[in-house]
C-alpha cells in the first residue's frame, strides 16, 4: 500500500489556494442536479486536473481531512455525511448538458453522472475520485469556450445556488474581458459585463422549476442570499435589477465588478497585487476606529463587528465614503450624521449586501442637494434693511432742579 501511495499526488488545501477550476461553458450553463456538498466535491476534484495532462485513469487523489475542511463538514458524523454525499452523487446527481447546433437551430441533450467512483478507508488520509469518461471532454484540452476561476473562491460558499451563479458570473466576465482585449463594441462588452437572464432560464440552470413558487421567495433563495455570499467571499462584486414585462418579473440583469485582489492568469496561478496597493489590515482597522464616522455607522446598525475584519470594506469606507462625510460636514455641521441616520431609516433589504456603495451614493446625492441649496440662497435678492429711527429721548431732569423751578414760578 505504501508503494502505491508514493505514486499518488495527493492534493492539500495549501496546494489548492492558487489552483484553478477549468470547465467548458456548456457544463457551466447545464442543469446541475446536485446538492451543495456533491457540487463542491465535484469542483474540488476538477481543480486537481491538469487540463493539458489528463490524470491517469481519470483519477485524482484528495486529502480526506482537507476535503472535509473545504466542504465545511465539522460534525461528529462527518464520515456518514460524506458517505451519503458520495452515494447521492453516484445515484442521483448529474449534469444535464444541452449542446446547440446554431446553424441548424437544433440541440442535443446529454445527462452525465460526473463521479461514478470514490474510494476511501479508515487507515489513511487519501480519498480516490475517478471521473466518468463522458465528463472529461468538458474538463480537459479545451481551447475555446471555457471558463476558469480559483477554487479558493468556492471554499466559503455553502449555498448551492451561490456556487451555480458564481460559475455563470465567471463565464460571462471572462467573455467580457476577451471583448475588451479584442476591442469589440460597447454593446458586446456590456452584454457580458451586465448579463441578463430570463426567469425561466435561471430556474432551469438552478434546477428550481416547480419550487419557490412565489416570486419574492424565489428571489430571496436563489438570488439575494447567494449574492450576499458571493460578494463577501469571492473576488466578485455583483448587484442585480429586476426586469419586468407589465407587472410580471420576466428576468434579471446582473452587474458584475471584479474586486482588486488576486486574479487568475492564463496558467491558473494567482497574480499578486502590486506592493504599492497593499495596505496592512491592522492599519486599516486603526484608521477606521479613529474616525468619528465609524461609531455612527455602528450605532445605526449599518456595519457590524465582523465587518471590521473585511479589508475591502474598510478600504472603501476610508478612501471613498469618509471623505464624502468630511465634505458634508464642511457644507453644514451635523450633515454627515443626518445622512447616516437617513440611510439607516430608508435603506431596503436589497441594499444590505452593498451597504458601502449605498452609503457612498447617498452621501454624494446629499452633497449635491446641499450645494444646490447654497446656490439658491446666494441667488436670492437681498432685502433692504430699513432701520427705524430711534425716538429722541428727553434727558431726565433731576428732581431738585424741577422743584427749584416750581418754587420760582410761585413767587
Amino acid at each position: 500500500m505504501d508503494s502505491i501511495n508514493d505514486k499518488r499526488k495527493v492534493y492539500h488545501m495549501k496546494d489548492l489556494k492558487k489552483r484553478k477550476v477549468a470547465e467548458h461553458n456548456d457544463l457551466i450553463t447545464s442543469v446541475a442536479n446536485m446538492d451543495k456538498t456533491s457540487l463542491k466535491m465535484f469542483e474540488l476534484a476538477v481543480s486537481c486536473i491538469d487540463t493539458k495532462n489528463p490524470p491517469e485513469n481519470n483519477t485524482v487523489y484528495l486529502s480526506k481531512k482537507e476535503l472535509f475542511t473545504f466542504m465545511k463538514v465539522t460534525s461528529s458524523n462527518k464520515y456518514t455525511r460524506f458517505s451519503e454525499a458520495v452515494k447521492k452523487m453516484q445515484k442521483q446527481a448529474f449534469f444535464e448538458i444541452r449542446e446547440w447546433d446554431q446553424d441548424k437551430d437544433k440541440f442535443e441533450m446529454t445527462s452525465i453522472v460526473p463521479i461514478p467512483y470514490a474510494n476511501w478507508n479508515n487507515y489513511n488520509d487519501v480519498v480516490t475520485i475517478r471521473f466518468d469518461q463522458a465528463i472529461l471532454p468538458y474538463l480537459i484540452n479545451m481551447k475555446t469556450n471555457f471558463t476558469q476561476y480559483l477554487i479558493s473562491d468556492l471554499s466559503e460558499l455553502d449555498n448551492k445556488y451561490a456556487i451555480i451563479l458564481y460559475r455563470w458570473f465567471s463565464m460571462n466576465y471572462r467573455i467580457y474581458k476577451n471583448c475588451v482585449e479584442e476591442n469589440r463594441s460597447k454593446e458586446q462588452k456590456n452584454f457580458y459585463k451586465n448579463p441578463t437572464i430570463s426567469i425561466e432560464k435561471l430556474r432551469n440552470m438552478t434546477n428550481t422549476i416547480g419550487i419557490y413558487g412565489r416570486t419574492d421567495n424565489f428571489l430571496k433563495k436563489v438570488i439575494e442570499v447567494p449574492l450576499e455570499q458571493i460578494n463577501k467571499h469571492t473576488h466578485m462584486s455583483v448587484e442585480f435589477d429586476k426586469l419586468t414585462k407589465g407587472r410580471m418579473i420576466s428576468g434579471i440583469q446582473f452587474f458584475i465588478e471584479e474586486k482588486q485582489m488576486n486574479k487568475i492568469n492564463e496558467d491558473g496561478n494567482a497574480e499578486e497585487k502590486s506592493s504599492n496597493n497593499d495596505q496592512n489590515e491592522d492599519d486599516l482597522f486603526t484608521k477606521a476606529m479613529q474616525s468619528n464616522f465609524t461609531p455612527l455607522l455602528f450605532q445605526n446598525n449599518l456595519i457590524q463587528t465582523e465587518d471590521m475584519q473585511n479589508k475591502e470594506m474598510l478600504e472603501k469606507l476610508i478612501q471613498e465614503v469618509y471623505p464624502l462625510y468630511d465634505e458634508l460636514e464642511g457644507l453644514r455641521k451635523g450633515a454627515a450624521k443626518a445622512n447616516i441616520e437617513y440611510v439607516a431609516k430608508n435603506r431596503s433589504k436589497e441594499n444590505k449586501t452593498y451597504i458601502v456603495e449605498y452609503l457612498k451614493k447617498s452621501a454624494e446625492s446629499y452633497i449635491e442637494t446641499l450645494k444646490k441649496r447654497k446656490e439658491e440662497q446666494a441667488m436670492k435678492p437681498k432685502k433692504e434693511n430699513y432701520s427705524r429711527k430711534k425716538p429722541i429721548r428727553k434727558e431726565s431732569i433731576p428732581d431738585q432742579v424741577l422743584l427749584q423751578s416750581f418754587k420760582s414760578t410761585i413767587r
Side-chain angles (χ1 to χ4, degrees):
M1 183 63 67
D2 290 338
S3 61
I4 295 175
N5 285 340
D6 289 342
K7 298 178 182 179
R8 298 173 177 177
K9 183 177 181 180
V10 181
Y11 288 92
H12 297 269
M13 291 300 289
K14 63 180 181 180
D15 302 316
L16 297 173
K17 287 181 179 179
K18 292 186 178 182
R19 293 196 64 81
K20 71 180 184 302
V21 177
E23 296 177 0
H24 195 279
N25 292 345
D26 286 343
L27 187 62
I28 289 175
T29 57
S30 66
V31 179
N33 185 29
M34 300 184 186
D35 62 13
K36 66 179 181 182
T37 305
S38 298
L39 191 53
K40 289 186 78 169
M41 190 187 305
F42 171 76
E43 295 290 313
L44 183 62
V46 172
S47 73
C48 299
I49 294 177
D50 184 340
T51 58
K52 297 179 181 179
N53 299 296
E56 186 177 354
N57 298 322
N58 305 335
T59 303
V60 296
Y61 305 96
L62 302 175
S63 161
K64 189 191 308 177
K65 180 180 178 181
E66 302 299 349
L67 188 146
F68 290 146
T69 301
F70 180 81
M71 296 191 302
K72 304 299 179 185
V73 179
T74 57
S75 61
S76 57
N77 64 339
K78 56 188 175 184
Y79 291 100
T80 302
R81 289 180 59 189
F82 173 68
S83 177
E84 290 174 350
V86 172
K87 289 178 182 178
K88 187 172 183 179
M89 176 180 287
Q90 294 172 340
K91 293 181 179 180
Q92 301 175 13
F94 63 86
F95 284 109
E96 191 174 75
I97 303 169
R98 178 178 298 188
E99 296 182 11
W100 279 93
D101 185 335
Q102 300 294 343
D103 297 331
K104 298 180 180 179
D105 194 25
K106 295 180 180 180
F107 65 85
E108 182 176 329
M109 296 294 295
T110 303
S111 182
I112 303 174
V113 177
I115 300 177
Y117 177 86
N119 174 269
W120 68 99
N121 54 50
N122 65 350
Y123 54 82
N124 68 23
D125 190 44
V126 180
V127 177
T128 303
I129 291 180
R130 183 181 302 157
F131 292 96
D132 188 278
Q133 182 62 34
I135 201 74
L136 264 293
Y138 301 95
L139 304 176
I140 61 173
N141 296 326
M142 297 171 292
K143 296 182 180 179
T144 59
N145 298 326
F146 72 95
T147 298
Q148 57 183 4
Y149 44 86
L150 290 172
I151 187 63
S152 57
D153 267 5
L154 300 184
S155 178
E156 298 295 327
L157 300 182
D158 62 358
N159 181 290
K160 168 187 172 180
Y161 307 122
I163 298 170
I164 293 172
L165 287 178
Y166 171 81
R167 294 162 75 236
W168 190 74
F169 294 150
S170 297
M171 179 191 74
N172 280 279
Y173 201 80
R174 178 179 174 83
I175 299 174
Y176 156 72
K177 289 198 290 187
N178 289 340
C179 290
V180 173
E181 291 175 2
E182 296 169 8
N183 198 25
R184 295 187 187 178
S185 67
K186 184 178 179 181
E187 289 74 18
Q188 287 178 306
K189 296 174 187 176
N190 182 68
F191 183 83
Y192 292 106
K193 189 172 187 289
N194 306 312
T196 62
I197 187 171
S198 68
I199 294 296
E200 180 183 0
K201 287 184 177 179
L202 183 57
R203 281 189 174 277
N204 187 65
M205 187 172 71
T206 55
N207 200 28
T208 51
I209 296 175
I211 61 176
Y212 307 133
R214 287 179 50 181
T215 302
D216 58 344
N217 195 27
F218 173 76
L219 292 176
K220 181 177 181 181
K221 296 286 187 181
V222 181
I223 298 178
E224 293 176 12
V225 172
L227 284 191
E228 188 171 353
Q229 289 196 12
I230 289 171
N231 288 326
K232 184 175 182 180
H233 298 300
T234 75
H235 74 284
M236 288 184 178
S237 178
V238 185
E239 299 185 34
F240 77 96
D241 271 345
K242 305 165 191 172
L243 305 178
T244 58
K245 185 179 288 186
R247 294 185 178 181
M248 299 290 292
I249 297 176
S250 59
I252 302 293
Q253 182 170 21
F254 295 97
F255 304 91
I256 309 171
E257 295 290 344
E258 192 172 32
K259 298 174 186 175
Q260 293 301 313
M261 56 189 297
N262 293 347
K263 299 178 183 178
I264 308 169
N265 62 23
E266 291 303 315
D267 296 326
N269 295 322
E271 296 175 347
E272 299 295 333
K273 286 177 62 179
S274 168
S275 59
N276 293 331
N277 294 327
D278 288 336
Q279 191 169 8
N280 187 281
E281 291 184 24
D282 292 336
D283 292 340
L284 287 171
F285 180 83
T286 301
K287 286 183 179 180
M289 293 309 297
Q290 286 176 344
S291 171
N292 294 328
F293 305 125
T294 301
L296 288 174
L297 294 175
F298 270 113
Q299 291 166 16
N300 287 275
N301 294 318
L302 292 173
I303 59 174
Q304 309 298 327
T305 304
E306 57 267 24
D307 293 327
M308 301 309 290
Q309 304 299 321
N310 187 332
K311 181 179 179 181
E312 184 200 3
M313 175 178 278
L314 293 178
E315 283 180 342
K316 286 190 174 183
L317 284 174
I318 294 168
Q319 297 172 6
E320 300 179 22
V321 179
Y322 289 175
L324 296 174
Y325 288 159
D326 286 329
E327 188 174 352
L328 279 172
E329 288 297 303
L331 291 168
R332 195 183 75 185
K333 189 175 181 180
K337 181 181 178 182
N339 183 247
I340 291 171
E341 291 175 348
Y342 174 84
V343 171
K345 290 179 181 178
N346 293 278
R347 66 170 180 158
S348 60
K349 291 181 180 179
E350 287 84 355
N351 299 122
K352 185 177 180 180
T353 305
Y354 321 107
I355 189 61
V356 176
E357 289 79 4
Y358 193 61
L359 290 169
K360 181 180 176 182
K361 290 178 182 177
S362 179
E364 289 172 341
S365 177
Y366 196 31
I367 287 171
E368 291 301 314
T369 300
L370 291 181
K371 285 182 178 180
K372 285 181 181 179
R373 287 179 185 174
K374 280 201 167 188
E375 290 175 2
E376 289 172 358
Q377 290 176 356
M379 294 294 290
K380 286 182 180 180
K382 294 182 180 180
K383 294 181 180 180
E384 293 185 27
N385 186 16
Y386 296 100
S387 57
R388 292 187 302 174
K389 294 182 179 180
K390 295 182 181 180
I392 300 173
R393 293 177 59 187
K394 294 181 180 179
E395 294 183 3
S396 56
I397 304 174
D399 290 343
Q400 290 183 354
V401 174
L402 287 173
L403 182 60
Q404 188 67 33
S405 175
F406 178 71
K407 287 180 179 181
S408 63
T409 302
I410 293 176
R411 290 176 184 172

